[in-house]
Each structure stands twice: as structure tokens, then as C-alpha cells.
């Protein structure tokens, strides 16, 4: 009983009974003779809507309402009362059960609308059979049984089409559906006010126009129909259904009551034709409304998918960019952009698995969304990167960011047998509407976040503060942008520097190292790699640069086959990122297949540091590329403590002695001893040595005495653009 009472709140019941009595009064007012059946029964639409929305228990208030109708408004013989109550209740029950079995979705689709119509037809037929049978058995019917049944059913159908959709939308708002079109997509308050005024004016014209002698006054009924069609296209669905209900009730009421010059139908055929016309007039705007709503809903669903991160349910990077640009371009308060990145998140993925990492991201995302301040927004813009737009600045923004850091630091979530946790770094940048630029703002916040991570993580860094580390990071990000532009616009150029033998070694062609330069499009100057390579390594652009260099070299060689034949060995620097890139060997194999330049002429220079980052992967890459003919040199050899230990693990062909030892050769006995040791070990292993940074004839003489095989440096040859290099005599 308690559950039943909760379903039947007395205020709602009172409103329902009052509306039922009012609609019944309007319908019964259309009856002019004792044996006449009403033109429409709008109370049936009200009953169907309430039972659909709130459940079958609402058949009880419906039964009470019917009894009150027959007591207060339309007295009937006691013998007919059971037929009247049962006809309505059984009809509604069958209709509701049918509609629910078809997964009815509130009429706001073509499928849902036709499901509703099918249920209404069943209800009308069942209700009509029982009700007309009661009229017949109690001697209350003057016409034939089947004619009365048809009129009863059409009246019920018109009442359902007229009232049920409006009632359903009023008591069950569409806004609860997450895919509902936003209110901003419909006409605003001014248009809605104008529409309401025009609808009332149209209904008034129909009423007063009926006093004229013209037989075409009924054509004025097209005015409210046109307005309802307008609302179906431009206004929210509830406006269309309510407007449609008012229009149908007004026109039907005027006809049934003989108001405004209209006359009620006098015979059966006129009544049927009129009811069919009114049903069609009522249903057409609803079909248009449902179709338009479906289109808007599909568009909204596509938009939501495009702007929502599927894994966390948060707005994604696209939504973030739109929101940030809108805030920048608009007029409003100063905001703060917080760029958030997890610290050492790779450890979670590597130790627990990527699934565990995803679980941690979801948990933190949910926590961030739940802890938002009013009007603040959070977005997931990358793997473990989030952005927050906070409606504050200065000290308040810093305090909110601190709370976020503490919340993430204390957050724990379970995944299988692991307890997952992490910390985060946050970069803050101030967003000033009309004064900020999106790219610069994001760059500042990203740089500040990166600086916070480099300072140990689990801290906040504010853009704009006088911080050398932050300035360094900002400069690096600017270089990263320039590198990407240079790659896209082909601003990189190649230079070559000779590597010359100190003894006769059988080489008959050119030996050189390819050096990369960036052409500054503004000044035209060539920029050395020391300016941009650190930024490339920091922002993971090394692999793209390596592939670009290889592509530039092979393209040039294929275009100059006569020079390509003169090459004995061409050295190319390979970054640590390419050493860890599992697809690099496949790229190299495919690129060489498209080129006539032989693989055995290519020597990849790798540093000891990059090889030691992941020794097994470095070994696999060297083995793959050696199988297709490429050779390897260990660059900057001697700078690390592991050089000799891993010589047998790295299958290289050449040791390039670090230039620091070569520069100190004339003044340091230690440097001389190191060079001698490296050369001796190299020859024991049947490998070649190259001394870098050789600057003078005296160095050449000493290096020859120490047994070094080849030399490279400004004292031998200054780098030249590749065209000039091959234009000179070897």
C-alpha cells in the first residue's frame, strides 16, 4: 500500500481528476440529443498519457474520475455505469501493454508515434465495443450498433491524438534525455511570444469569422494549422503538441457546439468525414514534429560523440578548443586555464598494464568531474592529460589547483590485485577575453605543466612568472612548432662533411657524414642542429626528423645517380626515438626498396646513451637493418662508463671517438691514452675508428701515430651543402 500511495501523490491525483472532469465536460457539451455520441473524447488521451507515464496503478484514479463524470456531469442509468468504467479502463490497459511491449519512446520519433497510434487504435476499438454494447443493452442508442461503434472509436482516437502527446511531454520533459537537442537550437523567447500571439489571434479569427455569411469560413482553420507546422519546425516539441491540442479542441468545439457560424454534423456520414478530417489535421503536425526532432536528436548525438571522450565521458579536446576559443572571443570574466598531466604514468602502464592505466584515468576523471566548482569545466585532451577552465584567477585559481593536486595524490582505486594511484603536475595560464590567443595560451599552460613535471612533479607552475626553467620550456615548445613547420614546408637542408682515411684502406669513393640544417624562412639563415635538436628530442620529433633526412638523402641520390656511384660510405645520425621505434626498420626497408641507392653505403651513427636506453630493442634494430645491408657506428665513443662492457652486445662496424678527447690530445696524456686504448680494442675486434673534431695538422699526425683509421673535423673539411659538396673534386 505504501508503494501504491507513493505512485499516487494526492496533489497529482487531484489535478488529474480535475482535468478529466473538465475535458469530459467539453466533450459532453457536443451532445445535442440523447442518442448522440460525442465528436471527441479528450479524457481518453489524458488517461492514456498518465498510465503510460506513471504506471497501471493510475487506472484507479481513472475509474474514480469516470464515476464522478456520470454523477456530476452526465448522469446515466446505473446499469450502464460498469460498461462505461470497464470500457475506458480495459481499453487503456490493452493500449499501454501494447505500447510498452514495443519499447515506446515518448512519441518523439516516427516509430514511437506510429506505435502510439497503433495502441490508440486498439484502445478505441476495445473501448468502443464495450461502451456501445452497454448503450445497446441499456436502450440508450438510436442508431445501428456498428455506426455508433465507428463514431465512438473515431471520437476516442481524435481525443488521444489531440491530448496524449501534449500531456506526455508536459509531465515527462524531453530535457531529461541526454541526446535531446539543446534549447539554443530552437527559436528564442521573442519568437515564441510572437507565435503564441498569432495562434490566439488565429483562433479568434476562426470564432468571429463564423458570424459571416461566407460558406468558406472553415478555411480559416488553416491558420492555426500553419502556425502549428511552424512550431513543429522551429519550436520545442511541447509547444507543438500543446498548440496542436488547443487548435483541434477549438475547431472541434466550435463545430460541435455550433459556435461561430459552424454547424454540427447532422448525419452519420458527415460525422465520420469530419472526424477523419480532424484526425488527419491533428496528426500531420505531430509527424512533422517527430521527424524534425529525430533529425535534431541525431545531429545532437553526432555532435556529442564528436565532442565527448568515449573512455571517460568528459568533453574531449575538440570541445575544449571550442570552449576556450569561445571564452577568448567573448566578453566575460577572466578565467584560468589549468593544464594537468599525470606524473610517471608510464610506470602504471608498464607495471600493471594499459588496462590498469585506463582504469586509473577513468577514476581520476570521475573524481575531477564530481569535484568541479560551479561554472568550472574539465576536459580530457589526451591520454593522461586534462584541461580545466576555471571561473577565477590569481590566488583563487592557485588554491583550486592545489585542491585538485591533493585530491589526485590521495586518490586510490583498485584494479584486480593492484591498488592504483598517481600524482599530477599542473600548469596555469590566465585567459583574458579579447586579449588572449588560443595557441599562445595553450602553449603557456603546457610549458608551465612541463616545467612542473621537470621540477619533480606533484606541483603547480604558473605561466608568466619569472622562471628560467619555464622560459626554457617555452622556448623549446616554440622550437617544436618551428620544427613541425619546417618538416611540413621542407625547410630542412642537408650538408656533407668529409671523413678521410689516415692510411690506405681500399676505399675508392667519398666517405662523409650527412649533417642537418634548418633554413629560417624569415631571415634565410641556416640554423645548426644544436638549436633545434634538443627541442625535437623533448617533444618526440626525433623519428620524424630522421625519416625526413633519409628521404631527403635518398631522393637526392636517385636524382644524381652519377654522384651516388662515387659514394663509398654515407653516415647518418639516428636519434634515440628511432632506436625505440619498432616500425623504423620496416620504414627503412620500404624506403630502400623505392631507391637505387645501395644499403651497404649507409652507416647509421648511434650514441651509446641511446643504445643503452633499451639494449634489447637496440640490438633488434641493428640486426634488422644489418640484414638489409646497412652498417652502424657507435658515436661519441668513450664518454660513458659502459662503452667497453657492451661492445660485444652491440654489433657495430665503427667507433667514432668522442671529440672531447681529440681536442685535448695535444695537452692531455689521459686523452692520448684513451684514444690509444679505443683504437687498440677496435682493431682487436676488427672495427674501424674515426676521430671527430680534428682541427689541425698536428692532431692528424698524432692520431696517425696512435693508429686511428679515419679523421673528421673542420681542420679536414668544413661542411658544405650537398650540391656544392658533390660539385667539387673528391
Amino acid at each position: 500500500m505504501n508503494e501504491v500511495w507513493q505512485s499516487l501523490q494526492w496533489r497529482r491525483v487531484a489535478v488529474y481528476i480535475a482535468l478529466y472532469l473538465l475535458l469530459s465536460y467539453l466533450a459532453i457539451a457536443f451532445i445535442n440529443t440523447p442518442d448522440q455520441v460525442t465528436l471527441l473524447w479528450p479524457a481518453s488521451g489524458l488517461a492514456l498519457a498518465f498510465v503510460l507515464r506513471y504506471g497501471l496503478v493510475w487506472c484507479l484514479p481513472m475509474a474514480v474520475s469516470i464515476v464522478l463524470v456520470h454523477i456530476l456531469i452526465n448522469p446515466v442509468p446505473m446499469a450502464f455505469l460498469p460498461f462505461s468504467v470497464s470500457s475506458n479502463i480495459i481499453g487503456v490497459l490493452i493500449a499501454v501493454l501494447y505500447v510498452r511491449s514495443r519499447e515506446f519512446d515518448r512519441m518523439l520519433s516516427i516509430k514511437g508515434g506510429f506505435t502510439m497510434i497503433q495502441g490508440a487504435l486498439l484502445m478505441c476499438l476495445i473501448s468502443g465495443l464495450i461502451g456501445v454494447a452497454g448503450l445497446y443493452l441499456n436502450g440508450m442508442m438510436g442508431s445501428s450498433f456498428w455506426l455508433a461503434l465507428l463514431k465512438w472509436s473515431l471520437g476516442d482516437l481524435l481525443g488521444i491524438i489531440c491530448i496524449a502527446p501534449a500531456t506526455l511531454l508536459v509531465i515527462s520533459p524531453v530535457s531529461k534525455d541526454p541526446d535531446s537537442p539543446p534549447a539554443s537550437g530552437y527559436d528564442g523567447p521573442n519568437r515564441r511570444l510572437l507565435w503564441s500571439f498569432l495562434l490566439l489571434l488565429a483562433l479568434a479569427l476562426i470564432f468571429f469569422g463564423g458570424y459571416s455569411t461566407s460558406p468558406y469560413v472553415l478555411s480559416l482553420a488553416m491558420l492555426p494549422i500553419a502556425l502549428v507546422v511552424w512550431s513543429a519546425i522551429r519550436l520545442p516539441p511541447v509547444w507543438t503538441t500543446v498548440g496542436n491540442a488547443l487548435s483541434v479542441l477549438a475547431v472541434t468545439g466550435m463545430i460541435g457546439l455550433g459556435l461561430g457560424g459552424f454547424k454540427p454534423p447532422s448525419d452519420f456520414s458527415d460525422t465520420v468525414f469530419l472526424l477523419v478530417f480532424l484526425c488527419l489535421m491533428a496528426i500531420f503536425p505531430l509527424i512533422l514534429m517527430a521527424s524534425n526532432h529525430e533529425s535534431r536528436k541525431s545531429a545532437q548525438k553526432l555532435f556529442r560523440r564528436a565532442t565527448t571522450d568515449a573512455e571517460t565521458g568528459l568533453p574531449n579536446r575538440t570541445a575544449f578548443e571550442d570552449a576556450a576559443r569561445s571564452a577568448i572571443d567573448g566578453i566575460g570574466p577572466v578565467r584560468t586555464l589549468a593544464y594537468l598531466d599525470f606524473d610517471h604514468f608510464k610506470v602504471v602502464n608498464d607495471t600493471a598494464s594499459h588496462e590498469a592505466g585506463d582504469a586509473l584515468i577513468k577514476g581520476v576523471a570521475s573524481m575531477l568531474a564530481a569535484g568541479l566548482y560551479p561554472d568550472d569545466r574539465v576536459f580530457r585532451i589526451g591520454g593522461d592529460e586534462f584541461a580545466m577552465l576555471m571561473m577565477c584567477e590569481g590566488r583563487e585559481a592557485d588554491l583550486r589547483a592545489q585542491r585538485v593536486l591533493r585530491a589526485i595524490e590521495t586518490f586510490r582505486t583498485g584494479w584486480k590485485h593492484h591498488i592504483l594511484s598517481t600524482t599530477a603536475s599542473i600548469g596555469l595560464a590566465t585567459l583574458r577575453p579579447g586579449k588572449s590567443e588560443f595557441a599562445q595560451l595553450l602553449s603557456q599552460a603546457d610549458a608551465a605543466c612541463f616545467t612542473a613535471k621537470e621540477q619533480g612533479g606533484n606541483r603547480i607552475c604558473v605561466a608568466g612568472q619569472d622562471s628560467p626553467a619555464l622560459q626554457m620550456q617555452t622556448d623549446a615548445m616554440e622550437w617544436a612548432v618551428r620544427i613541425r613547420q619546417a618538416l611540413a614546408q621542407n625547410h630542412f637542408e642537408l650538408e656533407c662533411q668529409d671523413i678521410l682515411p689516415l692510411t690506405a684502406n681500399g676505399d675508392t669513393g667519398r666517405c662523409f657524414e650527412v649533417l642537418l640544417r634548418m633554413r629560417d624562412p624569415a631571415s634565410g639563415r641556416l640554423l645548426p642542429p644544436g638549436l633545434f635538436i634538443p627541442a625535437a628530442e623533448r617533444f618526440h620529433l626525433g623519428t620524424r626528423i630522421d625519416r625526413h633526412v633519409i628521404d631527403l638523402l635518398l631522393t637526392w641520390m636517385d636524382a644524381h645517380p652519377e654522384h651516388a656511384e662515387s659514394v663509398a660510405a654515407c653516415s647518418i645520425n639516428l636519434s634515440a626515438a628511432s632506436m625505440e621505434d619498432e616500425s623504423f626498420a620496416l620504414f627503412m626497408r620500404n624506403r630502400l626498396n623505392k631507391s637505387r641507392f645501395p644499403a651497404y653505403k649507409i652507416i647509421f651513427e648511434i650514441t651509446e646513451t641511446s643504445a643503452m636506453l633499451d639494449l634489447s630493442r637496440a640490438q633488434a634494430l641493428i640486426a634488422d637493418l644489418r640484414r638489409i645491408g646497412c652498417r652502424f657506428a657507435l658515436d661519441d665513443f668513450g664518454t660513458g662508463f659502459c662503452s667497453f662492457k657492451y661492445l660485444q652486445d652491440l654489433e657495430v662496424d665503427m667507433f667514432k671517438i668522442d671529440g672531447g678527447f681529440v681536442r685535448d690530445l695535444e695537452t692531455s696524456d689521459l686523452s692520448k691514452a684513451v684514444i690509444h686504448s679505443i683504437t687498440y680494442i677496435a682493431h682487436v675486434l676488427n672495427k674501424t675508428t674515426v676521430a671527430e673534431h680534428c682541427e689541425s695538422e698536428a692532431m692528424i699526425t698524432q692520431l696517425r701515430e696512435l693508429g686511428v683509421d679515419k679523421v673528421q673535423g673542420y681542420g679536414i673539411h668544413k661542411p658544405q651543402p650537398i650540391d656544392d659538396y658533390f660539385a667539387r673534386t673528391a
Side-chain angles (χ1 to χ4, degrees), residues 567-585:
V567 176
C570 169
S571 294
I572 304 172
N573 286 285
L574 202 60
S575 68
S578 293
M579 294 289 292
E580 295 182 340
D581 184 0
E582 295 180 353
S583 65
F584 183 80

Side-chain angles (χ1 to χ4, degrees), residues 252-574:
T252 306
M254 291 176 186
I255 294 174
L257 299 174
L259 299 175
F262 297 114
K263 294 182 179 180
S266 57
D267 57 25
F268 171 76
S269 59
D270 290 343
T271 302
V272 171
F273 290 146
L274 176 62
L275 288 174
V276 171
F277 166 75
L278 292 174
C279 287
L280 294 175
M281 183 183 77
I283 203 171
F284 172 72
L286 299 180
I287 294 175
L288 182 60
M289 174 206 70
S291 176
N292 182 55
H293 183 79
E294 275 192 311
S295 299
R296 288 174 179 266
K297 187 174 180 179
S298 298
Q300 176 65 14
K301 186 179 294 185
L302 291 174
F303 175 78
R304 188 167 61 86
R305 288 180 180 176
T307 57
T308 302
D309 176 60
E311 189 173 359
T312 63
L314 295 178
N316 61 10
R317 190 181 188 92
T318 300
F320 162 66
E321 292 185 3
D322 290 343
R325 292 182 191 277
S326 297
I328 290 172
D329 297 337
I331 300 175
V334 176
R335 297 174 173 87
T336 299
L337 168 61
Y339 195 103
L340 186 152
D341 192 3
F342 292 170
D343 298 325
H344 313 297
F345 186 69
K346 188 174 184 296
V347 175
V348 178
N349 286 333
D350 292 344
T351 57
S353 79
H354 286 274
E355 290 183 17
D358 292 341
L360 181 58
I361 288 175
K362 290 179 184 178
V364 174
S366 178
M367 181 196 67
L368 291 175
L372 282 177
Y373 284 79
D375 298 326
D376 286 0
R377 299 185 66 187
V378 62
F379 309 82
R380 185 189 183 193
I381 59 175
D384 60 335
E385 298 171 349
F386 296 82
M388 298 178 68
L389 286 176
M390 301 187 293
M391 293 291 291
C392 59
E393 59 175 320
R395 179 61 179 165
E396 177 61 25
D398 187 74
L399 288 174
R400 292 189 186 183
Q402 289 286 356
R403 293 188 187 103
V404 170
L405 282 188
R406 299 290 80 79
I408 294 175
E409 184 181 14
T410 58
F411 178 79
R412 300 289 185 273
T413 185
W415 187 84
K416 294 185 177 179
H417 57 280
H418 295 279
I419 299 297
L420 306 177
S421 64
T422 187
T423 59
S425 299
I426 296 180
L428 300 180
T430 303
L431 188 158
R432 302 184 186 279
K435 296 181 181 180
S436 302
E437 293 183 1
F438 174 74
Q440 183 182 16
L441 180 74
L442 184 60
S443 175
Q444 291 174 345
D446 191 8
C449 179
F450 196 92
T451 302
K453 291 176 74 69
E454 290 197 329
Q455 292 176 348
N458 197 24
R459 66 186 64 225
I460 296 169
C461 185
V462 182
Q465 292 183 345
D466 188 11
S467 168
L470 179 57
Q471 184 59 47
M472 185 182 300
Q473 175 62 11
T474 303
D475 293 342
M477 294 184 69
E478 292 176 355
W479 273 112
V481 173
R482 296 178 66 178
I483 291 170
R484 291 188 179 95
Q485 291 176 344
L487 288 168
Q489 301 171 11
N490 202 24
H491 289 161
F492 283 114
E493 299 179 15
L494 301 182
E495 290 190 349
C496 301
Q497 184 180 38
D498 270 331
I499 300 175
L500 296 183
L502 295 180
T503 58
N505 59 0
D507 287 343
T508 58
R510 298 176 186 264
C511 295
F512 60 93
E513 180 179 352
V514 174
L515 304 172
L516 185 64
R517 304 288 186 263
M518 180 194 291
R519 179 74 66 178
D520 185 354
S523 65
R525 294 188 304 112
L526 281 177
L527 306 177
L531 293 177
F532 57 83
I533 289 299
E537 292 175 347
R538 176 172 290 187
F539 292 98
H540 311 293
L541 296 172
T543 299
R544 290 184 60 185
I545 291 178
D546 291 347
R547 297 187 183 201
H548 188 70
V549 169
I550 292 166
D551 190 62
L552 285 177
L553 176 67
L554 295 182
T555 300
W556 194 95
M557 291 296 176
D558 289 337
H560 304 83
E562 70 283 3
H563 294 313
E565 290 181 4
S566 70
V567 176
C570 169
S571 294
I572 304 172
N573 286 285
L574 202 60

Side-chain angles (χ1 to χ4, degrees), residues 158-169:
L158 179 58
I160 294 171
I161 296 173
C162 174
I163 299 299
T167 304
L168 275 173
L169 291 183

Side-chain angles (χ1 to χ4, degrees), residues 20 60 70 78 82 132 144 183 246 280 437 457 460 491 509 541 562 587 592 622 629 699:
Y20 197 99
L60 297 176
H70 290 306
M78 288 298 296
V132 174
S144 70
L246 291 175
L280 294 175
E437 293 183 1
I460 296 169
H491 289 161
L541 296 172
E562 70 283 3
F587 158 78
L592 285 171
I622 292 173
M699 286 184 180

Side-chain angles (χ1 to χ4, degrees), residues 29-32 36 39 207 210-211 250-265:
F30 300 159
I31 300 176
N32 297 320
Q36 185 178 354
L39 283 176
F207 178 79
Y211 288 102
V251 173
T252 306
M254 291 176 186
I255 294 174
L257 299 174
L259 299 175
F262 297 114
K263 294 182 179 180

Side-chain angles (χ1 to χ4, degrees), residues 192-211:
R192 298 182 190 188
L193 185 62
L194 175 62
W195 178 86
S196 302
F197 171 76
L198 292 177
L199 180 64
L200 293 176
L201 181 61
L203 295 176
L205 286 175
I206 293 175
F207 178 79
F208 291 109
Y211 288 102

